[in-house]
């Protein structure tokens, strides 16, 4: 075999070069096939096509075009805070203005919920309001002018003739009396009669129509704990209504005594109440649950205020200790004052030792001006009472002093029988007597 015919093993093919650039770039799809120049073999020259750069993925820096848009501009923190604050203020101003504008346009005002008004159906007759409604037209306020002094008190109408019952200490120094009704109408009044010992007085108005007298009850029926209503003009506050209960009955109290000779002292077997009573309530009615008068408000016990010297002075104002004259006693005295201008007092015809400090009421050894302490042929003498005797009980109720004995006696009428328990020579004995009569002051 000639050398020309000798076959030789082909050279091993070179291994493929991945991710490498070929020696001769392949023609671009947009390029026309290369044509030989001058008929000679040579490299293919791509024909240019179009102007501008071409994409060459194998170039050292491939042509890439990235659209980054416009450059962004950031906000600082103070700008954000200022923007938020301005927005809030603007929103608040707009909201407030809109609210005011809406209210003005609606022409409305703020109105809170409230119960609807109902027709006045009155109150139960036994309620405080019912009692007040019944009694107020018959209660009056008295304005008294004494020349150098003036004062205010209360009273209530007794009859259609214009008689009005009040306290003696309200009108005792009166030169001019004006009566004001619950309607506000005022008229002048004249004094009919008064009694210091019972602290009661009657005045009268004339030419007044439509008077509404109050109904009188019976103080014998009063029990501790019964509800009561007081009406008066405390500190000149007319038509004031207060309520409470009967705290006690048969309380022996004395009032007055400013003159020093005892001529102005009143003795009352009183009803005690916690219904607030103040200066100006004097003479006003104390009413039960049927709107009946059971007492005439007369006195209060004020709070004590100690002075630097150790003495005690009373302060004006209610502390829940008020006292009223029982209406049974007031009725009898009022009838006598209207009829005669004076009232009578029941008496036993003895002179009492008011300085006696023992228990009971002691009869003096001698009377005033050397007269006998036991009036001859008087009720006490007829019953067997002697000078020096100590009276300890009246109708079985113990008495602790001369004032209390007078109060127990004045709670009765002249002519009433009494049983007295007397202590003599260390022994007690019971005596029966009939009360006599004396003119009051």
């Amino acid at each position: 075999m000639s050398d020309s015919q000798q076959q030789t093993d082909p050279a091993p093919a070179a291994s493929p070069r991945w991710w490498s650039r070929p020696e001769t770039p392949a023609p671009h799809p947009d390029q026309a096939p290369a044509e030989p120049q001058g008929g000679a073999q040579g490299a293919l020259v791509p024909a240019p096509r179009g102007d501008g750069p071409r994409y060459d993925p194998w170039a050292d820096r491939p042509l890439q075009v990235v659209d980054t848009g416009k450059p962004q501009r950031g906000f600082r923190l103070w700008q954000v805070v200022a923007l938020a604050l301005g927005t809030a203020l603007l929103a608040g101003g707009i909201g407030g203005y809109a609210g005011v504008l809406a209210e003005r346009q609606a022409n409305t005002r703020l109105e809170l919920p409230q119960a609807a008004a109902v027709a006045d159906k009155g109150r139960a007759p036994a309620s405080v309001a019912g009692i007040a409604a019944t009694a107020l037209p018959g209660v009056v306020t008295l304005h008294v002018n004494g020349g150098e002094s003036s004062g205010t008190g209360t009273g209530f109408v007794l009859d259609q003739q214009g008689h009005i019952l009040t306290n003696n200490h309200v009108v005792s120094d009166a030169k001019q009396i004006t009566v004001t009704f619950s309607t506000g109408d005022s008229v002048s009044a004249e004094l009919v009669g008064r009694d210091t010992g019972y602290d009661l007085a009657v005045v009268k108005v004339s030419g007044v129509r439509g008077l509404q007298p109050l109904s009188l009850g019976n103080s014998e029926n009063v029990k501790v704990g019964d509800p009561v209503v007081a009406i008066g003009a405390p500190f000149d506050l007319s038509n004031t209504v207060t309520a409470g209960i009967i705290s006690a009955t048969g309380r022996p109290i004395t009032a007055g005594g400013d003159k020093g000779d005892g001529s102005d002292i009143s003795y009352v077997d009183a009803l005690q109440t916690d219904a607030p009573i103040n200066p100006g309530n004097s003479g006003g009615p104390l009413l039960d649950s049927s709107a009946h008068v059971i007492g005439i408000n007369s006195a209060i016990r004020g709070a004590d205020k100690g002075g630097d010297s150790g003495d005690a002075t009373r302060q004006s104002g209610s502390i829940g200790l008020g006292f009223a004259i029982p209406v049974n006693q007031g009725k009898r005295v009022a009838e006598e004052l209207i009829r005669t201008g004076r009232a009578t007092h029941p008496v036993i015809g003895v002179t009492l030792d008011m300085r006696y400090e023992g228990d009971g009421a002691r009869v003096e050894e001698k009377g005033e001006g050397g007269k006998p302490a036991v009036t001859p042929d008087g009720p006490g003498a007829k019953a067997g009472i002697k000078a020096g005797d100590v009276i300890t009980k009246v109708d079985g109720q113990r008495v602790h002093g001369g004032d209390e004995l007078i109060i127990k006696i004045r709670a009765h009428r002249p002519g009433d029988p009494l049983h007295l328990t007397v202590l003599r020579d260390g022994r007690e004995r019971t005596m029966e007597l009939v009360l006599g009569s004396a003119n009051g002051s």
Side-chain angles (χ1 to χ4, degrees):
M1 177 179 301
S2 62
D3 293 338
S4 59
Q5 295 178 336
Q6 188 178 359
Q7 295 181 351
T8 60
D9 294 331
S15 300
R17 297 173 59 189
W18 302 106
W19 311 109
S20 63
R21 179 179 180 182
E23 294 297 334
T24 302
H28 194 276
D30 294 335
Q31 295 178 349
E35 294 182 0
Q37 297 180 1
Q41 283 183 323
L44 296 176
V45 179
R49 190 170 182 175
D51 296 332
R54 290 185 175 84
Y55 173 69
D56 183 2
W58 306 108
D60 292 337
R61 297 184 64 184
L63 179 62
Q64 297 180 0
V65 180
V66 178
D67 184 7
T68 60
K70 295 182 179 180
Q72 297 181 354
R73 300 178 63 185
F75 291 94
R76 295 184 180 181
L77 179 60
W78 70 268
Q79 292 176 319
V80 175
V81 173
L83 180 61
L85 181 60
T87 304
L89 291 175
L90 180 60
I94 294 174
Y97 177 75
V100 172
L101 184 61
E103 182 178 358
R104 290 180 178 177
Q105 290 177 347
N107 194 23
T108 59
R109 61 185 178 86
L110 177 65
E111 187 170 346
L112 299 175
Q114 183 182 25
V118 297
D120 185 8
K121 298 181 180 179
R123 296 292 186 268
S127 67
V128 174
I131 295 169
T134 300
L136 274 171
V139 180
V140 302
T141 301
L142 284 78
H143 293 95
V144 178
N145 189 344
E148 297 181 357
S149 62
S150 60
T152 302
T154 308
F156 59 93
V157 179
L158 292 173
D159 53 31
Q160 293 288 348
Q161 286 71 45
H163 292 106
I164 294 170
L165 184 62
T166 186
N167 281 143
N168 171 69
H169 71 262
V170 172
V171 298
S172 58
D173 298 323
K175 293 184 177 179
Q176 182 180 3
I177 304 172
T178 302
V179 170
T180 303
F181 294 89
S182 61
T183 59
D185 297 323
S186 297
V187 296
S188 297
E190 61 177 355
L191 180 64
V192 174
R194 62 188 186 89
D195 185 88
T196 301
Y198 288 113
D199 193 21
L200 291 171
V202 173
V203 301
K204 183 180 180 181
V205 295
S206 301
V208 179
R209 297 181 179 179
L211 293 174
Q212 298 188 35
L214 297 189
S215 299
L216 304 184
N218 192 321
S219 51
E220 294 294 329
N221 299 330
V222 175
K223 301 296 181 184
V224 173
D226 284 347
V228 290
V229 172
I231 302 179
F235 300 102
D236 204 13
L237 298 173
S238 301
N239 306 321
T240 296
V241 178
T242 57
I245 62 169
I246 292 293
S247 304
T249 60
R251 287 292 197 207
I253 65 167
T254 58
D258 297 332
K259 294 183 178 180
D261 58 359
S263 62
D264 62 337
I265 297 177
S266 58
Y267 301 87
V268 181
D269 197 30
L271 301 174
Q272 180 182 329
T273 179
D274 67 348
I277 297 173
N278 290 285
N281 275 103
S282 295
L286 187 67
L287 304 149
D288 63 12
S289 58
S290 298
H292 294 161
V293 180
I294 57 172
I296 301 95
N297 299 319
S298 180
I300 62 172
R301 178 66 167 88
D304 289 339
K305 180 180 179 181
D308 295 336
S309 61
D311 61 343
T313 57
R314 290 184 179 178
Q315 292 179 316
S316 297
S318 173
I319 60 172
L321 292 175
F323 302 94
I325 301 168
V327 72
N328 289 15
Q329 183 173 320
K331 176 179 179 295
R332 179 184 70 82
V333 173
E335 290 170 344
E336 292 185 349
L337 291 176
I338 293 172
R339 186 169 57 249
T340 67
R342 301 179 67 89
T344 59
H345 297 171
V347 295
I348 60 174
V350 300
T351 301
L352 298 177
D353 182 3
M354 304 304 290
R355 296 166 301 194
Y356 179 67
E357 296 180 355
D359 195 41
R362 182 176 181 273
V363 180
E364 281 272 25
E365 294 291 342
K366 292 183 178 180
E368 186 177 354
K371 296 180 180 179
V374 179
T375 304
D377 296 327
K382 294 179 179 178
I385 296 176
K386 295 183 179 180
D389 285 348
V390 177
I391 301 172
T392 58
K393 296 179 182 179
V394 175
D395 285 340
Q397 296 182 346
R398 182 167 291 277
V399 294
H400 302 283
D403 289 345
E404 196 167 336
L405 176 61
I406 296 172
I407 291 168
K408 293 297 183 184
I409 291 173
R410 289 193 178 179
H412 295 79
R413 293 173 178 266
D416 287 348
L418 288 182
H419 291 85
L420 301 182
T421 300
V422 177
L423 179 64
R424 182 189 300 166
D425 298 331
R427 296 178 57 186
E428 283 190 340
R429 63 191 68 192
T430 300
M431 302 176 181
E432 184 175 351
L433 58 78
V434 176
L435 291 173
S437 177
N439 289 327
S441 59

